[in-house]
Amino acid sequence: MHEVAQLPWGVALAYLVAGVLFIFALRGLSSPATSRAGNRYGMAGMGIAIATTLYTHDVVALPEIIGAIAIGGVIGFITARRIAMTDMPQLVAAFHSLVGMAAVVVGAAAYLSPAAFGIADPATGEIFAASRIEMGLGVAIGAITFSGSVIAFLKLNGNMSGKPILLPMRHVINLGTLLGILGLVAYFTQDQAPWVFWTVTALSFLIGFLLIIPIGGADMPVVVSMLNSYSGWAAAAMGFTLGNTAMIITGALVGSSGAILSYIMCKAMNRGFLSVIAGGFGAEAAVSGGEAKEQRPWKRGSADDAAFLMQQAESVIIVPGYGMAVSQAQHALREMGDLLKKEGVSVKYAIHPVAGRMPGHMNVLLAEANVPYDEVFELEDINSEFSQADVAFVIGANDVTNPAAKTDKTSPIYGMPILEVANAKSVLFVKRSMGGVGYAGVDNDVFYMDNTMMLLADAKKMVEDIVKALAH
Amino acid sequence: MDFISILSIFVMACFVGYYVVWSVTPALHTPLMAVTNAISSVIIVGALIAAAEGGDGLAKWLGLAGVVFASVNIFGGFAVTERMLAMYKKKERK
């Protein structure tokens, strides 16, 4: 046990206030109406934390620090203004990597200059044993967050194939590396030699990379949530090193937030967290899906057919998926919804929790296109309404509508909760071609139903054509 | 503060986090990730200390690098969250 440098009570209180404001920031997100106030609380908390730190330390390097904040701030602000909403998953991954890297450099700075952080014995200059563990873990988690997020970014941004990359013996290699890191962190308490610290850092960068390469593109919602969680734990570990309550509270909040999101995503795919993390999902399924290709009859429709069908309908439920994001069809889709509403058709949107590449991805895109959020429904709130709906309009979603998840025990997606579009009187299915199967590599029975009409085209193009057909 | 007090704060905060995050509406999960991202950059506190007091030359520069990384995240994270939240609108009453 050690005493971290005693903070004056006013300072400790200021950090606590910052931590509480961060709690309010998350609390605000319980409803879109209060969310913006929440975001302001978050900003205030951050302002207090930064001001307090600068106020309580001998800041010799103030011009440099202000310069550093200005550089980072301008880069961050411009990126945030310019980024397309469809690129949000990449942006979040990139931001995660920065938190990870910041944790690594803070850990390294604390290791090189422990006296500045008050974590060294003033007599011997040795770092306290407890601080070494916290520092070692903080750097390790930070490095994993960094390299893992970089890979996630490359996969989401399309610089790297979304297909899982499977190394031979990967489980053995990964487990060995993880144990090596833990062993070295334990050894670090006995010997604070530079090689121990830097080996921990290097191995952690490596394992972050190894952990994410075998995970396929559509499992990215889980990965992004998991890395979100790690970035929190990294901040918490550093908070322990510095005895800083703002960092500890925030770290715990972010850590649990990411963990809960990962859990929700896994549940929505009916897969265990470990099975997702072990990776390789898309690769194995695609191989087995290749053999049982049978030709079944299906119906193809045109934009005019679709427009006619929906005009006659009383209610239409739109089911968007990743394909809508890829072709940026959300604006055209909203126009279509508006035209239908003018004709007196009731229009609702149904969102599956894992649609898209990150939690809530579809909701943001629909919000961007000005779809009011009270027309957008979650899976459990709308699933019973499909049986009364005249048309289910599926756009760029596949696995999340596949009835095989309920009926076929051998299917890789068996047990996954699905949107029951098959119950609607008719189904319009927008898809680029009949050839491609969804991420899980399983054929979808919905394509071949009597009441399904396949609209084969780029999603945005098809919706625009339907809008034209509706307009005249 | 001694280790046990810090640990108590941490454990309590995990519970608070658990309940607060479950109450977040699924429609706002993307802004949730963006804002948690921004607030986890409170790690800038550590970077500021290193930059301000890192006696050793390298520690100071590492600290400054940390300040840049964390500031990108703070400004970027809050700004992008703000931008997203501004898009969520209710149905207009006719």
mmCIF file with all atom_site columns, all heavy atoms in Angstrom, chain A residues 27 39-40 57 80-81 83 95 99 248 359 373, chain B residues 6 23 30 36-37 39 53 60 73 82-83 89:
data_model
loop_
_atom_site.group_PDB
_atom_site.id
_atom_site.type_symbol
_atom_site.label_atom_id
_atom_site.label_alt_id
_atom_site.label_comp_id
_atom_site.label_asym_id
_atom_site.label_entity_id
_atom_site.label_seq_id
_atom_site.pdbx_PDB_ins_code
_atom_site.Cartn_x
_atom_site.Cartn_y
_atom_site.Cartn_z
_atom_site.occupancy
_atom_site.B_iso_or_equiv
_atom_site.pdbx_formal_charge
_atom_site.auth_seq_id
_atom_site.auth_comp_id
_atom_site.auth_asym_id
_atom_site.auth_atom_id
_atom_site.pdbx_PDB_model_num
ATOM 1   N N   . ARG A 1 27  ? -26.099 9.891  -18.450 1.00 0.00 ? 27  ARG A N   1
ATOM 2   C CA  . ARG A 1 27  ? -27.498 9.845  -18.014 1.00 0.00 ? 27  ARG A CA  1
ATOM 3   C C   . ARG A 1 27  ? -28.397 10.580 -19.020 1.00 0.00 ? 27  ARG A C   1
ATOM 4   O O   . ARG A 1 27  ? -29.516 10.171 -19.299 1.00 0.00 ? 27  ARG A O   1
ATOM 5   C CB  . ARG A 1 27  ? -27.590 10.497 -16.628 1.00 0.00 ? 27  ARG A CB  1
ATOM 6   C CG  . ARG A 1 27  ? -28.965 10.528 -16.043 1.00 0.00 ? 27  ARG A CG  1
ATOM 7   C CD  . ARG A 1 27  ? -29.365 9.179  -15.490 1.00 0.00 ? 27  ARG A CD  1
ATOM 8   N NE  . ARG A 1 27  ? -30.793 9.179  -15.209 1.00 0.00 ? 27  ARG A NE  1
ATOM 9   C CZ  . ARG A 1 27  ? -31.642 8.286  -15.675 1.00 0.00 ? 27  ARG A CZ  1
ATOM 10  N NH1 . ARG A 1 27  ? -31.218 7.305  -16.423 1.00 0.00 ? 27  ARG A NH1 1
ATOM 11  N NH2 . ARG A 1 27  ? -32.909 8.338  -15.384 1.00 0.00 ? 27  ARG A NH2 1
ATOM 12  N N   . ASN A 1 39  ? -24.478 16.139 -23.121 1.00 0.00 ? 39  ASN A N   1
ATOM 13  C CA  . ASN A 1 39  ? -23.194 16.371 -23.780 1.00 0.00 ? 39  ASN A CA  1
ATOM 14  C C   . ASN A 1 39  ? -22.502 17.609 -23.220 1.00 0.00 ? 39  ASN A C   1
ATOM 15  O O   . ASN A 1 39  ? -21.289 17.633 -23.036 1.00 0.00 ? 39  ASN A O   1
ATOM 16  C CB  . ASN A 1 39  ? -23.427 16.502 -25.293 1.00 0.00 ? 39  ASN A CB  1
ATOM 17  C CG  . ASN A 1 39  ? -22.178 16.266 -26.096 1.00 0.00 ? 39  ASN A CG  1
ATOM 18  O OD1 . ASN A 1 39  ? -21.335 15.453 -25.713 1.00 0.00 ? 39  ASN A OD1 1
ATOM 19  N ND2 . ASN A 1 39  ? -22.040 16.975 -27.204 1.00 0.00 ? 39  ASN A ND2 1
ATOM 20  N N   . ARG A 1 40  ? -23.303 18.645 -22.920 1.00 0.00 ? 40  ARG A N   1
ATOM 21  C CA  . ARG A 1 40  ? -22.722 19.871 -22.344 1.00 0.00 ? 40  ARG A CA  1
ATOM 22  C C   . ARG A 1 40  ? -22.115 19.585 -20.968 1.00 0.00 ? 40  ARG A C   1
ATOM 23  O O   . ARG A 1 40  ? -21.052 20.097 -20.625 1.00 0.00 ? 40  ARG A O   1
ATOM 24  C CB  . ARG A 1 40  ? -23.791 20.954 -22.192 1.00 0.00 ? 40  ARG A CB  1
ATOM 25  C CG  . ARG A 1 40  ? -24.541 21.274 -23.445 1.00 0.00 ? 40  ARG A CG  1
ATOM 26  C CD  . ARG A 1 40  ? -23.746 22.200 -24.355 1.00 0.00 ? 40  ARG A CD  1
ATOM 27  N NE  . ARG A 1 40  ? -24.172 22.053 -25.743 1.00 0.00 ? 40  ARG A NE  1
ATOM 28  C CZ  . ARG A 1 40  ? -25.328 22.525 -26.231 1.00 0.00 ? 40  ARG A CZ  1
ATOM 29  N NH1 . ARG A 1 40  ? -26.150 23.180 -25.443 1.00 0.00 ? 40  ARG A NH1 1
ATOM 30  N NH2 . ARG A 1 40  ? -25.643 22.338 -27.490 1.00 0.00 ? 40  ARG A NH2 1
ATOM 31  N N   . HIS A 1 57  ? -0.427  22.352 -10.844 1.00 0.00 ? 57  HIS A N   1
ATOM 32  C CA  . HIS A 1 57  ? 0.952   21.929 -11.089 1.00 0.00 ? 57  HIS A CA  1
ATOM 33  C C   . HIS A 1 57  ? 1.800   23.108 -11.512 1.00 0.00 ? 57  HIS A C   1
ATOM 34  O O   . HIS A 1 57  ? 1.298   24.076 -12.072 1.00 0.00 ? 57  HIS A O   1
ATOM 35  C CB  . HIS A 1 57  ? 0.987   20.825 -12.143 1.00 0.00 ? 57  HIS A CB  1
ATOM 36  C CG  . HIS A 1 57  ? 0.455   19.534 -11.619 1.00 0.00 ? 57  HIS A CG  1
ATOM 37  N ND1 . HIS A 1 57  ? -0.889  19.235 -11.586 1.00 0.00 ? 57  HIS A ND1 1
ATOM 38  C CD2 . HIS A 1 57  ? 1.086   18.484 -11.052 1.00 0.00 ? 57  HIS A CD2 1
ATOM 39  C CE1 . HIS A 1 57  ? -1.062  18.063 -11.035 1.00 0.00 ? 57  HIS A CE1 1
ATOM 40  N NE2 . HIS A 1 57  ? 0.118   17.572 -10.692 1.00 0.00 ? 57  HIS A NE2 1
ATOM 41  N N   . ALA A 1 80  ? -14.419 16.100 -36.867 1.00 0.00 ? 80  ALA A N   1
ATOM 42  C CA  . ALA A 1 80  ? -15.786 15.875 -36.404 1.00 0.00 ? 80  ALA A CA  1
ATOM 43  C C   . ALA A 1 80  ? -16.806 16.602 -37.281 1.00 0.00 ? 80  ALA A C   1
ATOM 44  O O   . ALA A 1 80  ? -17.906 16.120 -37.501 1.00 0.00 ? 80  ALA A O   1
ATOM 45  C CB  . ALA A 1 80  ? -15.926 16.339 -34.955 1.00 0.00 ? 80  ALA A CB  1
ATOM 46  N N   . ARG A 1 81  ? -16.436 17.781 -37.778 1.00 0.00 ? 81  ARG A N   1
ATOM 47  C CA  . ARG A 1 81  ? -17.346 18.556 -38.632 1.00 0.00 ? 81  ARG A CA  1
ATOM 48  C C   . ARG A 1 81  ? -17.504 17.920 -39.995 1.00 0.00 ? 81  ARG A C   1
ATOM 49  O O   . ARG A 1 81  ? -18.570 17.944 -40.599 1.00 0.00 ? 81  ARG A O   1
ATOM 50  C CB  . ARG A 1 81  ? -16.802 19.975 -38.841 1.00 0.00 ? 81  ARG A CB  1
ATOM 51  C CG  . ARG A 1 81  ? -16.914 20.846 -37.634 1.00 0.00 ? 81  ARG A CG  1
ATOM 52  C CD  . ARG A 1 81  ? -18.260 21.507 -37.608 1.00 0.00 ? 81  ARG A CD  1
ATOM 53  N NE  . ARG A 1 81  ? -18.772 21.412 -36.247 1.00 0.00 ? 81  ARG A NE  1
ATOM 54  C CZ  . ARG A 1 81  ? -20.023 21.634 -35.901 1.00 0.00 ? 81  ARG A CZ  1
ATOM 55  N NH1 . ARG A 1 81  ? -20.914 21.955 -36.798 1.00 0.00 ? 81  ARG A NH1 1
ATOM 56  N NH2 . ARG A 1 81  ? -20.402 21.520 -34.658 1.00 0.00 ? 81  ARG A NH2 1
ATOM 57  N N   . ILE A 1 83  ? -16.686 14.696 -41.130 1.00 0.00 ? 83  ILE A N   1
ATOM 58  C CA  . ILE A 1 83  ? -16.876 13.255 -41.339 1.00 0.00 ? 83  ILE A CA  1
ATOM 59  C C   . ILE A 1 83  ? -18.304 12.952 -41.812 1.00 0.00 ? 83  ILE A C   1
ATOM 60  O O   . ILE A 1 83  ? -19.258 13.557 -41.325 1.00 0.00 ? 83  ILE A O   1
ATOM 61  C CB  . ILE A 1 83  ? -16.552 12.509 -40.025 1.00 0.00 ? 83  ILE A CB  1
ATOM 62  C CG1 . ILE A 1 83  ? -16.483 11.003 -40.245 1.00 0.00 ? 83  ILE A CG1 1
ATOM 63  C CG2 . ILE A 1 83  ? -17.581 12.802 -38.944 1.00 0.00 ? 83  ILE A CG2 1
ATOM 64  C CD1 . ILE A 1 83  ? -15.124 10.532 -40.584 1.00 0.00 ? 83  ILE A CD1 1
ATOM 65  N N   . PHE A 1 95  ? -10.774 7.139  -32.965 1.00 0.00 ? 95  PHE A N   1
ATOM 66  C CA  . PHE A 1 95  ? -10.726 7.836  -31.678 1.00 0.00 ? 95  PHE A CA  1
ATOM 67  C C   . PHE A 1 95  ? -10.303 6.889  -30.551 1.00 0.00 ? 95  PHE A C   1
ATOM 68  O O   . PHE A 1 95  ? -9.536  7.264  -29.673 1.00 0.00 ? 95  PHE A O   1
ATOM 69  C CB  . PHE A 1 95  ? -12.090 8.460  -31.357 1.00 0.00 ? 95  PHE A CB  1
ATOM 70  C CG  . PHE A 1 95  ? -12.337 9.782  -32.053 1.00 0.00 ? 95  PHE A CG  1
ATOM 71  C CD1 . PHE A 1 95  ? -13.605 10.354 -32.068 1.00 0.00 ? 95  PHE A CD1 1
ATOM 72  C CD2 . PHE A 1 95  ? -11.315 10.467 -32.684 1.00 0.00 ? 95  PHE A CD2 1
ATOM 73  C CE1 . PHE A 1 95  ? -13.837 11.575 -32.691 1.00 0.00 ? 95  PHE A CE1 1
ATOM 74  C CE2 . PHE A 1 95  ? -11.533 11.688 -33.313 1.00 0.00 ? 95  PHE A CE2 1
ATOM 75  C CZ  . PHE A 1 95  ? -12.802 12.243 -33.316 1.00 0.00 ? 95  PHE A CZ  1
ATOM 76  N N   . VAL A 1 99  ? -7.149  7.162  -27.653 1.00 0.00 ? 99  VAL A N   1
ATOM 77  C CA  . VAL A 1 99  ? -7.193  7.002  -26.193 1.00 0.00 ? 99  VAL A CA  1
ATOM 78  C C   . VAL A 1 99  ? -6.146  5.978  -25.774 1.00 0.00 ? 99  VAL A C   1
ATOM 79  O O   . VAL A 1 99  ? -5.414  6.173  -24.798 1.00 0.00 ? 99  VAL A O   1
ATOM 80  C CB  . VAL A 1 99  ? -8.587  6.542  -25.707 1.00 0.00 ? 99  VAL A CB  1
ATOM 81  C CG1 . VAL A 1 99  ? -8.599  6.378  -24.203 1.00 0.00 ? 99  VAL A CG1 1
ATOM 82  C CG2 . VAL A 1 99  ? -9.658  7.523  -26.126 1.00 0.00 ? 99  VAL A CG2 1
ATOM 83  N N   . ILE A 1 248 ? -10.744 7.676  -12.559 1.00 0.00 ? 248 ILE A N   1
ATOM 84  C CA  . ILE A 1 248 ? -11.260 6.369  -12.132 1.00 0.00 ? 248 ILE A CA  1
ATOM 85  C C   . ILE A 1 248 ? -12.752 6.266  -12.422 1.00 0.00 ? 248 ILE A C   1
ATOM 86  O O   . ILE A 1 248 ? -13.227 5.268  -12.974 1.00 0.00 ? 248 ILE A O   1
ATOM 87  C CB  . ILE A 1 248 ? -10.977 6.149  -10.635 1.00 0.00 ? 248 ILE A CB  1
ATOM 88  C CG1 . ILE A 1 248 ? -9.475  5.961  -10.451 1.00 0.00 ? 248 ILE A CG1 1
ATOM 89  C CG2 . ILE A 1 248 ? -11.731 4.952  -10.110 1.00 0.00 ? 248 ILE A CG2 1
ATOM 90  C CD1 . ILE A 1 248 ? -9.042  5.921  -9.025  1.00 0.00 ? 248 ILE A CD1 1
ATOM 91  N N   . PRO A 1 359 ? -23.097 -0.284 -32.812 1.00 0.00 ? 359 PRO A N   1
ATOM 92  C CA  . PRO A 1 359 ? -24.385 -0.133 -32.144 1.00 0.00 ? 359 PRO A CA  1
ATOM 93  C C   . PRO A 1 359 ? -25.039 1.205  -32.507 1.00 0.00 ? 359 PRO A C   1
ATOM 94  O O   . PRO A 1 359 ? -24.386 2.241  -32.464 1.00 0.00 ? 359 PRO A O   1
ATOM 95  C CB  . PRO A 1 359 ? -24.019 -0.164 -30.663 1.00 0.00 ? 359 PRO A CB  1
ATOM 96  C CG  . PRO A 1 359 ? -22.684 -0.811 -30.585 1.00 0.00 ? 359 PRO A CG  1
ATOM 97  C CD  . PRO A 1 359 ? -22.003 -0.528 -31.869 1.00 0.00 ? 359 PRO A CD  1
ATOM 98  N N   . TYR A 1 373 ? -37.293 10.455 -34.825 1.00 0.00 ? 373 TYR A N   1
ATOM 99  C CA  . TYR A 1 373 ? -36.925 9.245  -34.083 1.00 0.00 ? 373 TYR A CA  1
ATOM 100 C C   . TYR A 1 373 ? -38.119 8.495  -33.533 1.00 0.00 ? 373 TYR A C   1
ATOM 101 O O   . TYR A 1 373 ? -38.008 7.335  -33.172 1.00 0.00 ? 373 TYR A O   1
ATOM 102 C CB  . TYR A 1 373 ? -35.896 9.557  -32.982 1.00 0.00 ? 373 TYR A CB  1
ATOM 103 C CG  . TYR A 1 373 ? -36.328 10.522 -31.907 1.00 0.00 ? 373 TYR A CG  1
ATOM 104 C CD1 . TYR A 1 373 ? -37.158 10.105 -30.879 1.00 0.00 ? 373 TYR A CD1 1
ATOM 105 C CD2 . TYR A 1 373 ? -35.867 11.832 -31.903 1.00 0.00 ? 373 TYR A CD2 1
ATOM 106 C CE1 . TYR A 1 373 ? -37.541 10.987 -29.887 1.00 0.00 ? 373 TYR A CE1 1
ATOM 107 C CE2 . TYR A 1 373 ? -36.251 12.718 -30.901 1.00 0.00 ? 373 TYR A CE2 1
ATOM 108 C CZ  . TYR A 1 373 ? -37.090 12.289 -29.904 1.00 0.00 ? 373 TYR A CZ  1
ATOM 109 O OH  . TYR A 1 373 ? -37.466 13.160 -28.918 1.00 0.00 ? 373 TYR A OH  1
ATOM 110 N N   . ILE B 2 6   ? -9.621  4.377  -3.128  1.00 0.00 ? 6   ILE B N   1
ATOM 111 C CA  . ILE B 2 6   ? -9.648  4.484  -4.592  1.00 0.00 ? 6   ILE B CA  1
ATOM 112 C C   . ILE B 2 6   ? -10.413 3.305  -5.179  1.00 0.00 ? 6   ILE B C   1
ATOM 113 O O   . ILE B 2 6   ? -11.266 3.465  -6.054  1.00 0.00 ? 6   ILE B O   1
ATOM 114 C CB  . ILE B 2 6   ? -8.212  4.523  -5.154  1.00 0.00 ? 6   ILE B CB  1
ATOM 115 C CG1 . ILE B 2 6   ? -7.504  5.773  -4.661  1.00 0.00 ? 6   ILE B CG1 1
ATOM 116 C CG2 . ILE B 2 6   ? -8.238  4.500  -6.667  1.00 0.00 ? 6   ILE B CG2 1
ATOM 117 C CD1 . ILE B 2 6   ? -6.138  5.957  -5.233  1.00 0.00 ? 6   ILE B CD1 1
ATOM 118 N N   . SER B 2 23  ? -29.855 2.367  -19.040 1.00 0.00 ? 23  SER B N   1
ATOM 119 C CA  . SER B 2 23  ? -30.992 3.263  -19.264 1.00 0.00 ? 23  SER B CA  1
ATOM 120 C C   . SER B 2 23  ? -30.828 4.077  -20.549 1.00 0.00 ? 23  SER B C   1
ATOM 121 O O   . SER B 2 23  ? -31.722 4.826  -20.917 1.00 0.00 ? 23  SER B O   1
ATOM 122 C CB  . SER B 2 23  ? -31.170 4.190  -18.061 1.00 0.00 ? 23  SER B CB  1
ATOM 123 O OG  . SER B 2 23  ? -30.184 5.192  -18.089 1.00 0.00 ? 23  SER B OG  1
ATOM 124 N N   . THR B 2 30  ? -24.833 4.914  -30.805 1.00 0.00 ? 30  THR B N   1
ATOM 125 C CA  . THR B 2 30  ? -23.664 5.484  -31.478 1.00 0.00 ? 30  THR B CA  1
ATOM 126 C C   . THR B 2 30  ? -23.183 6.765  -30.787 1.00 0.00 ? 30  THR B C   1
ATOM 127 O O   . THR B 2 30  ? -22.001 6.883  -30.478 1.00 0.00 ? 30  THR B O   1
ATOM 128 C CB  . THR B 2 30  ? -23.951 5.703  -32.975 1.00 0.00 ? 30  THR B CB  1
ATOM 129 O OG1 . THR B 2 30  ? -24.213 4.432  -33.561 1.00 0.00 ? 30  THR B OG1 1
ATOM 130 C CG2 . THR B 2 30  ? -22.762 6.330  -33.677 1.00 0.00 ? 30  THR B CG2 1
ATOM 131 N N   . THR B 2 36  ? -18.546 8.501  -24.772 1.00 0.00 ? 36  THR B N   1
ATOM 132 C CA  . THR B 2 36  ? -17.672 7.778  -23.833 1.00 0.00 ? 36  THR B CA  1
ATOM 133 C C   . THR B 2 36  ? -16.225 7.912  -24.295 1.00 0.00 ? 36  THR B C   1
ATOM 134 O O   . THR B 2 36  ? -15.304 8.009  -23.494 1.00 0.00 ? 36  THR B O   1
ATOM 135 C CB  . THR B 2 36  ? -18.034 6.288  -23.723 1.00 0.00 ? 36  THR B CB  1
ATOM 136 O OG1 . THR B 2 36  ? -18.149 5.730  -25.022 1.00 0.00 ? 36  THR B OG1 1
ATOM 137 C CG2 . THR B 2 36  ? -19.316 6.081  -22.976 1.00 0.00 ? 36  THR B CG2 1
ATOM 138 N N   . ASN B 2 37  ? -16.077 7.917  -25.616 1.00 0.00 ? 37  ASN B N   1
ATOM 139 C CA  . ASN B 2 37  ? -14.767 8.136  -26.188 1.00 0.00 ? 37  ASN B CA  1
ATOM 140 C C   . ASN B 2 37  ? -14.187 9.464  -25.763 1.00 0.00 ? 37  ASN B C   1
ATOM 141 O O   . ASN B 2 37  ? -13.023 9.572  -25.375 1.00 0.00 ? 37  ASN B O   1
ATOM 142 C CB  . ASN B 2 37  ? -14.975 8.193  -27.696 1.00 0.00 ? 37  ASN B CB  1
ATOM 143 C CG  . ASN B 2 37  ? -13.870 7.557  -28.411 1.00 0.00 ? 37  ASN B CG  1
ATOM 144 O OD1 . ASN B 2 37  ? -12.730 7.755  -28.042 1.00 0.00 ? 37  ASN B OD1 1
ATOM 145 N ND2 . ASN B 2 37  ? -14.203 6.780  -29.407 1.00 0.00 ? 37  ASN B ND2 1
ATOM 146 N N   . ILE B 2 39  ? -15.062 11.323 -23.145 1.00 0.00 ? 39  ILE B N   1
ATOM 147 C CA  . ILE B 2 39  ? -14.770 11.481 -21.714 1.00 0.00 ? 39  ILE B CA  1
ATOM 148 C C   . ILE B 2 39  ? -13.626 10.575 -21.276 1.00 0.00 ? 39  ILE B C   1
ATOM 149 O O   . ILE B 2 39  ? -12.924 10.909 -20.335 1.00 0.00 ? 39  ILE B O   1
ATOM 150 C CB  . ILE B 2 39  ? -16.009 11.293 -20.805 1.00 0.00 ? 39  ILE B CB  1
ATOM 151 C CG1 . ILE B 2 39  ? -16.572 9.889  -20.876 1.00 0.00 ? 39  ILE B CG1 1
ATOM 152 C CG2 . ILE B 2 39  ? -17.084 12.321 -21.109 1.00 0.00 ? 39  ILE B CG2 1
ATOM 153 C CD1 . ILE B 2 39  ? -17.691 9.653  -19.871 1.00 0.00 ? 39  ILE B CD1 1
ATOM 154 N N   . GLU B 2 53  ? 5.413   18.685 -15.561 1.00 0.00 ? 53  GLU B N   1
ATOM 155 C CA  . GLU B 2 53  ? 6.437   18.444 -14.553 1.00 0.00 ? 53  GLU B CA  1
ATOM 156 C C   . GLU B 2 53  ? 7.437   17.370 -14.930 1.00 0.00 ? 53  GLU B C   1
ATOM 157 O O   . GLU B 2 53  ? 8.303   17.034 -14.131 1.00 0.00 ? 53  GLU B O   1
ATOM 158 C CB  . GLU B 2 53  ? 5.766   18.052 -13.235 1.00 0.00 ? 53  GLU B CB  1
ATOM 159 C CG  . GLU B 2 53  ? 4.923   19.170 -12.684 1.00 0.00 ? 53  GLU B CG  1
ATOM 160 C CD  . GLU B 2 53  ? 4.625   18.976 -11.209 1.00 0.00 ? 53  GLU B CD  1
ATOM 161 O OE1 . GLU B 2 53  ? 5.276   18.132 -10.577 1.00 0.00 ? 53  GLU B OE1 1
ATOM 162 O OE2 . GLU B 2 53  ? 3.734   19.668 -10.712 1.00 0.00 ? 53  GLU B OE2 1
ATOM 163 N N   . LYS B 2 60  ? 8.632   14.684 -20.808 1.00 0.00 ? 60  LYS B N   1
ATOM 164 C CA  . LYS B 2 60  ? 7.875   15.878 -21.136 1.00 0.00 ? 60  LYS B CA  1
ATOM 165 C C   . LYS B 2 60  ? 7.299   15.785 -22.551 1.00 0.00 ? 60  LYS B C   1
ATOM 166 O O   . LYS B 2 60  ? 6.126   16.097 -22.775 1.00 0.00 ? 60  LYS B O   1
ATOM 167 C CB  . LYS B 2 60  ? 8.784   17.094 -21.016 1.00 0.00 ? 60  LYS B CB  1
ATOM 168 C CG  . LYS B 2 60  ? 8.104   18.390 -21.384 1.00 0.00 ? 60  LYS B CG  1
ATOM 169 C CD  . LYS B 2 60  ? 9.081   19.546 -21.293 1.00 0.00 ? 60  LYS B CD  1
ATOM 170 C CE  . LYS B 2 60  ? 8.714   20.604 -22.319 1.00 0.00 ? 60  LYS B CE  1
ATOM 171 N NZ  . LYS B 2 60  ? 9.698   21.676 -22.397 1.00 0.00 ? 60  LYS B NZ  1
ATOM 172 N N   . ASN B 2 73  ? -9.272  13.761 -29.440 1.00 0.00 ? 73  ASN B N   1
ATOM 173 C CA  . ASN B 2 73  ? -10.400 12.983 -28.995 1.00 0.00 ? 73  ASN B CA  1
ATOM 174 C C   . ASN B 2 73  ? -11.443 13.797 -28.255 1.00 0.00 ? 73  ASN B C   1
ATOM 175 O O   . ASN B 2 73  ? -12.642 13.610 -28.428 1.00 0.00 ? 73  ASN B O   1
ATOM 176 C CB  . ASN B 2 73  ? -9.861  11.948 -28.032 1.00 0.00 ? 73  ASN B CB  1
ATOM 177 C CG  . ASN B 2 73  ? -10.303 10.610 -28.409 1.00 0.00 ? 73  ASN B CG  1
ATOM 178 O OD1 . ASN B 2 73  ? -11.378 10.477 -28.962 1.00 0.00 ? 73  ASN B OD1 1
ATOM 179 N ND2 . ASN B 2 73  ? -9.500  9.630  -28.149 1.00 0.00 ? 73  ASN B ND2 1
ATOM 180 N N   . GLU B 2 82  ? -22.222 16.118 -30.487 1.00 0.00 ? 82  GLU B N   1
ATOM 181 C CA  . GLU B 2 82  ? -23.130 17.251 -30.606 1.00 0.00 ? 82  GLU B CA  1
ATOM 182 C C   . GLU B 2 82  ? -23.806 17.243 -31.985 1.00 0.00 ? 82  GLU B C   1
ATOM 183 O O   . GLU B 2 82  ? -25.010 17.427 -32.117 1.00 0.00 ? 82  GLU B O   1
ATOM 184 C CB  . GLU B 2 82  ? -22.309 18.543 -30.431 1.00 0.00 ? 82  GLU B CB  1
ATOM 185 C CG  . GLU B 2 82  ? -23.122 19.809 -30.290 1.00 0.00 ? 82  GLU B CG  1
ATOM 186 C CD  . GLU B 2 82  ? -23.795 19.929 -28.930 1.00 0.00 ? 82  GLU B CD  1
ATOM 187 O OE1 . GLU B 2 82  ? -23.349 19.265 -27.980 1.00 0.00 ? 82  GLU B OE1 1
ATOM 188 O OE2 . GLU B 2 82  ? -24.776 20.673 -28.837 1.00 0.00 ? 82  GLU B OE2 1
ATOM 189 N N   . ARG B 2 83  ? -22.976 16.976 -33.007 1.00 0.00 ? 83  ARG B N   1
ATOM 190 C CA  . ARG B 2 83  ? -23.505 16.979 -34.370 1.00 0.00 ? 83  ARG B CA  1
ATOM 191 C C   . ARG B 2 83  ? -24.560 15.878 -34.540 1.00 0.00 ? 83  ARG B C   1
ATOM 192 O O   . ARG B 2 83  ? -25.607 16.094 -35.153 1.00 0.00 ? 83  ARG B O   1
ATOM 193 C CB  . ARG B 2 83  ? -22.333 16.738 -35.336 1.00 0.00 ? 83  ARG B CB  1
ATOM 194 C CG  . ARG B 2 83  ? -22.565 17.319 -36.706 1.00 0.00 ? 83  ARG B CG  1
ATOM 195 C CD  . ARG B 2 83  ? -21.391 17.025 -37.603 1.00 0.00 ? 83  ARG B CD  1
ATOM 196 N NE  . ARG B 2 83  ? -21.846 16.388 -38.816 1.00 0.00 ? 83  ARG B NE  1
ATOM 197 C CZ  . ARG B 2 83  ? -21.042 15.711 -39.630 1.00 0.00 ? 83  ARG B CZ  1
ATOM 198 N NH1 . ARG B 2 83  ? -19.760 15.570 -39.343 1.00 0.00 ? 83  ARG B NH1 1
ATOM 199 N NH2 . ARG B 2 83  ? -21.517 15.163 -40.708 1.00 0.00 ? 83  ARG B NH2 1
ATOM 200 N N   . LYS B 2 89  ? -34.588 14.299 -34.288 1.00 0.00 ? 89  LYS B N   1
ATOM 201 C CA  . LYS B 2 89  ? -35.741 15.194 -34.150 1.00 0.00 ? 89  LYS B CA  1
ATOM 202 C C   . LYS B 2 89  ? -37.010 14.397 -33.973 1.00 0.00 ? 89  LYS B C   1
ATOM 203 O O   . LYS B 2 89  ? -37.149 13.297 -34.478 1.00 0.00 ? 89  LYS B O   1
ATOM 204 C CB  . LYS B 2 89  ? -35.873 16.069 -35.398 1.00 0.00 ? 89  LYS B CB  1
ATOM 205 C CG  . LYS B 2 89  ? -34.769 17.090 -35.490 1.00 0.00 ? 89  LYS B CG  1
ATOM 206 C CD  . LYS B 2 89  ? -35.002 18.040 -36.641 1.00 0.00 ? 89  LYS B CD  1
ATOM 207 C CE  . LYS B 2 89  ? -33.722 18.772 -36.977 1.00 0.00 ? 89  LYS B CE  1
ATOM 208 N NZ  . LYS B 2 89  ? -32.812 17.983 -37.827 1.00 0.00 ? 89  LYS B NZ  1
#
